[in-house]
Amino acid sequence: MVDPFPRTHCEHRAPSRVAILGAGISGLAAALKIRELSPQTDVVIFDQQTRPGGVLGTVREDGFQVERSADNFITTLPWAMDLCRQLELGEHLVSTHPEHRRAFVVWRRRLHPLPDGFLMMAPSQFWPLATTPLLSPWGKLRAAMEYVLPPRLDEGDESLAAFARRRLGREVFERLVEPLVTAVYGADTERLSVLATLARFREMEKKYGSLIRAMRAQKAARKAGRHSGAKTPRESGARYSMFATLRFGLEQLVEEIVARLPQDALRLGTQVTGLARNDSGWLVTLDNGKAFPCDAVVLAVPAYAAARVIEQLDQQLSQELAGITYTGSVILALAYRREDVGHPLDGSGCVIPAVERSPLLAVSFSSQKYPHLSPQGTVLLRVFAGGARRPDLVAEEEGRLRTLLRSEVEKLLRIQGQPVREWLFRWPAAMPQYEVGHLERLRRIEERLACWPGLALAGNAYRGVGIPHCIRSGWRAAGRVLGLPGEDRELGTSPF
């Protein structure tokens, strides 16, 4: 593991006490990094919840292992893998089952395989796209025209929907791109910024003039690498071979970090109401009326919560943070007897396009991806709903919500029997929306942060929503409050 922060010149700069607001994976990663780089620094983490980990958590019941939110992380970004190895969890890493590394797309109430080689917004192989029943002949012809369409070369932002329709046409967008992107971001793709989410596709367009041409060039480069003896990863379908989890659940990450922190580091069930600056440092105001003095602060809470905390400190920064919108999500985990499920479940899950008008966003075949998650003879499914597409479902009455989602998934997968277990998780306002102009907003936030040495931001609201990005944001926040901002090729020199 390559440490992004040098240890030299750390000791004399280190603050004596750092307050971290938020005990999710971003805040915990920041605390661990601060303790690693500056063992003499006292770190205190405040969170209004009574358990650490934020949305990360694992339920273990009757032989089932159910994740409350994310159930794995991508391995092509190094930070989650690095943290697992640092925590000596490397031997517990599990990759997706090799026989089920493909995804399905629902079209006209039936599951169809995602065309092999279609990577979020670009086909690396054209034959599977030409033969898929998901597209009409015109839709396939329009996608092929992408090869000769002139590229957009300016630096301006645009919505992901506009980009996908411009390059690949309406059908590819509606039936492939939209459901895949929505399953990741829970977003309205008409408002989602392509530069803040999938900028590499705009770079491919600019460099090669076409996404298809770019994918062909990358495929040729991989082939040349194989001929030269270099090892290159195989990319296909939804790239499930590039995901991993921990054998005993992602809560292991939380448990191992907490075990390495001082016993009095966590102040759970404590709400922070304000933040002030004085000549000697920072004052964190708590809900009991007391003030906690410290030398530096990491705001590892949702952007809207950070906005409330700093409202009296910096109104402009508060307004920028409050401008980052959020959606919520619902996860219904269902366990069935295998014999009651009519679909072969020969994949890792399915995504549902908005044009299907289903309340579902996606269904993960969790025990097909990771067989250890359910007892033999059973299957574990996780049903996702809500997001920008159906925000009303997050607050829906529990009985109606369970009935609605169960009915949909049972029709989709031809399930006859009753579930043997159910678990419902609601996450209101948990998914930040990187809307068009998000990168410009981050620039303005960075300018305001520069006025407040010792103040850092961390979390999924800024430069990535997945677990690896959250970990990285925590590390960068640690470097900032220690006076070591560091640099990163992918994230640039941002202070968060």
Side-chain angles (χ1 to χ4, degrees):
M1 179 177 70
V2 177
D3 195 320
F5 303 113
R7 295 175 184 274
T8 56
H9 309 299
C10 172
E11 298 298 324
H12 70 280
R13 292 184 179 180
S16 61
R17 178 189 271 182
V18 176
I20 298 177
L21 280 54
I25 189 61
S26 302
L28 293 175
L32 187 67
K33 181 60 70 174
I34 291 170
R35 293 289 298 174
E36 175 191 346
L37 295 176
S38 180
Q40 78 277 16
T41 297
D42 183 26
V43 177
V44 178
I45 309 171
F46 297 96
D47 199 300
Q48 64 181 1
Q49 303 300 319
T50 57
R51 53 174 291 277
V55 300
L56 285 187
T58 308
V59 176
R60 306 178 185 97
E61 292 178 0
D62 300 332
F64 294 99
Q65 188 169 290
V66 186
E67 296 293 349
R68 295 175 178 269
S69 59
D71 67 350
N72 56 22
F73 53 81
I74 196 166
T75 59
T76 52
L77 298 174
W79 308 302
M81 294 291 285
D82 287 348
L83 179 58
C84 286
R85 295 188 183 104
Q86 178 187 349
L87 298 173
E88 300 178 339
L89 292 173
E91 63 182 26
H92 295 292
L93 287 168
V94 181
S95 60
T96 51
H97 194 287
E99 293 182 6
H100 298 130
R101 288 176 179 170
R102 68 169 179 168
F104 296 94
V105 179
V106 174
W107 177 242
R108 294 178 177 173
R109 313 298 292 177
R110 295 181 58 191
L111 275 67
H112 300 273
L114 180 72
D116 192 33
F118 192 87
L119 303 181
M120 196 65 82
M121 273 206 299
S124 61
Q125 305 173 46
F126 199 76
W127 181 247
L129 200 65
T131 57
T132 180
L134 289 165
L135 302 174
S136 70
W138 164 245
K140 296 170 184 178
L141 179 62
R142 174 60 182 84
M145 289 172 58
E146 196 275 340
Y147 191 82
V148 297
L149 289 177
R152 175 179 171 176
L153 299 177
D154 65 84
E155 301 295 329
D157 202 357
E158 65 183 314
S159 76
L160 190 139
F163 174 83
R165 282 194 295 260
R166 178 169 61 79
R167 295 307 311 176
L168 296 162
R170 178 184 58 81
E171 280 194 22
V172 171
F173 164 69
E174 290 184 348
R175 304 182 191 182
L176 294 175
V177 175
E178 186 275 336
L180 288 169
V181 172
T182 300
V184 174
Y185 292 96
D188 178 355
T189 53
E190 301 290 349
R191 302 174 66 179
L192 192 67
S193 162
V194 70
L195 293 183
T197 55
L198 296 169
R200 69 188 182 101
F201 291 101
R202 273 286 295 271
E203 292 301 315
M204 289 161 62
E205 177 189 25
K206 289 168 62 178
K207 182 176 180 180
Y208 295 96
S210 156
L211 302 181
I212 296 174
R213 194 175 294 125
M215 297 303 285
R216 285 187 171 183
Q218 292 174 9
K219 186 176 180 179
R222 289 195 297 272
K223 186 176 180 180
R226 285 194 295 271
H227 287 320
S228 67
K231 293 184 178 180
T232 56
R234 178 180 180 272
E235 295 185 334
S236 63
R239 302 194 301 170
Y240 279 107
S241 62
M242 299 182 185
F243 288 86
T245 192
L246 289 167
R247 183 169 300 279
F248 300 108
L250 292 177
E251 195 165 309
Q252 279 187 277
L253 271 178
V254 177
E255 293 168 344
E256 289 298 325
I257 294 175
V258 170
R260 285 164 169 75
L261 297 176
Q263 290 186 351
D264 60 349
L266 282 172
R267 308 285 175 89
L268 301 177
T270 304
Q271 185 172 357
V272 172
T273 59
L275 184 62
R277 175 82 179 173
N278 58 27
D279 293 339
S280 59
W282 295 90
L283 285 176
V284 177
T285 306
L286 308 178
D287 55 358
N288 59 9
K290 295 182 179 179
F292 181 85
C294 56
D295 304 302
V297 178
V298 175
L299 297 174
V301 291
Y304 55 83
R308 289 196 296 265
V309 168
I310 65 167
E311 187 173 10
Q312 300 302 316
L313 176 75
D314 188 324
Q315 190 172 18
Q316 184 178 340
L317 178 56
S318 176
Q319 289 174 348
E320 292 291 355
L321 292 172
I324 299 174
T325 61
Y326 280 72
T327 63
S329 65
V330 173
I331 301 174
L332 178 64
L334 298 164
Y336 292 94
R337 289 180 291 273
R338 182 64 186 90
E339 62 195 41
D340 291 338
V341 182
H343 192 276
L345 302 180
D346 48 345
S348 291
C350 65
V351 294
I352 299 92
V355 291
E356 286 288 292
R357 299 191 180 280
S358 168
L360 309 184
L361 300 177
V363 182
S364 172
F365 307 162
S366 297
S367 57
Q368 299 297 91
K369 291 195 295 184
Y370 304 109
H372 69 280
L373 298 183
S374 70
Q376 189 172 3
T378 65
V379 295
L380 177 64
L381 309 172
R382 294 201 314 148
V383 183
F384 298 83
R389 195 188 292 176
R390 287 292 305 272
D392 59 298
L393 292 181
V394 179
E396 180 61 86
E397 190 274 327
E398 182 171 335
R400 287 196 294 269
L401 182 59
R402 288 176 182 264
T403 299
L404 174 66
L405 301 186
R406 273 181 49 187
S407 174
E408 286 290 319
V409 77
E410 288 172 357
K411 286 186 290 187
L412 200 59
L413 301 178
R414 306 193 303 274
I415 299 172
Q416 297 298 322
Q418 296 292 312
V420 296
R421 290 301 304 268
E422 292 185 43
W423 301 264
L424 180 66
F425 309 108
R426 300 180 195 249
W427 299 113
M431 286 293 292
Q433 303 297 284
Y434 295 0
E435 297 181 352
V436 173
H438 182 74
L439 295 184
E440 272 300 300
R441 182 182 299 278
L442 294 188
R443 181 189 60 76
R444 296 192 297 269
I445 290 173
E446 289 173 15
E447 289 178 354
R448 293 308 306 167
L449 270 182
C451 301
W452 301 105
L455 180 64
L457 296 169
N460 67 353
Y462 309 109
R463 297 185 182 272
V465 300
I467 291 174
H469 281 113
C470 289
I471 291 168
R472 180 59 175 169
S473 75
W475 287 355
R476 294 193 68 78
R480 175 173 168 81
V481 298
L482 291 176
L484 304 167
E487 294 200 8
D488 184 271
R489 288 188 182 91
E490 180 165 335
L491 299 186
T493 56
S494 166
F496 56 91

